[in-house]
Amino acid sequence: NNNNATTTTTTITTFEVGTMDACIVRLPHGWIELTDMTPNAIIQHVDHTHLISGCTTVVLSTLPFNNNVKTLHDWRTLIGINQMIRDVARGWNDAPFNNVSTS
């Protein structure tokens, strides 16, 4: 029997997180081949993000240069995808999912 032992009671306050105002989306290029990245795939990813999180603003990140680029062709493809991401973001008002804005 250890009479020097102390008992600590911790109170944890929890609360439900509602919808989010904004989400930052980095497209999963590690799971999706560069050649499979299309405007429709980007739009679907943004819509899916909205459906899961409830966010009303989505910030689309362009793809970084990392181990997904192995050849000059991959580099050129990545440049094209980043332009496609910018084009989708800029033209979002014309996209089919008008309930989410992109930055």
Side-chain angles (χ1 to χ4, degrees):
N1 188 359
N2 186 351
N3 292 331
N4 295 327
T6 59
T7 304
T8 304
T9 304
T10 303
T11 303
I12 299 173
T13 303
T14 62
F15 57 93
E16 182 177 327
V17 176
T19 59
M20 297 179 203
D21 293 331
C23 293
I24 299 173
V25 173
R26 181 174 180 232
L27 298 167
H29 61 86
W31 300 340
I32 300 174
E33 294 294 323
L34 290 174
T35 54
D36 293 334
M37 202 71 75
T38 64
N40 191 47
I42 295 168
I43 291 168
Q44 287 178 353
H45 193 78
V46 170
D47 189 53
H48 189 69
T49 300
H50 167 70
L51 291 174
I52 289 174
S53 68
C55 62
T56 55
T57 299
V58 173
V59 177
L60 286 172
S61 171
T62 55
L63 301 182
F65 176 86
N66 59 18
N67 63 352
N68 60 336
V69 176
K70 298 177 181 130
T71 66
L72 181 58
H73 175 72
D74 290 345
W75 176 240
R76 289 182 178 141
T77 302
L78 183 68
I79 290 170
I81 290 170
N82 283 338
Q83 186 58 51
M84 186 186 330
I85 291 169
R86 290 181 194 100
D87 292 344
V88 167
R90 286 184 187 122
W92 188 257
N93 290 333
D94 298 329
F97 308 108
N98 289 318
N99 53 349
V100 180
S101 64
T102 58
S103 300

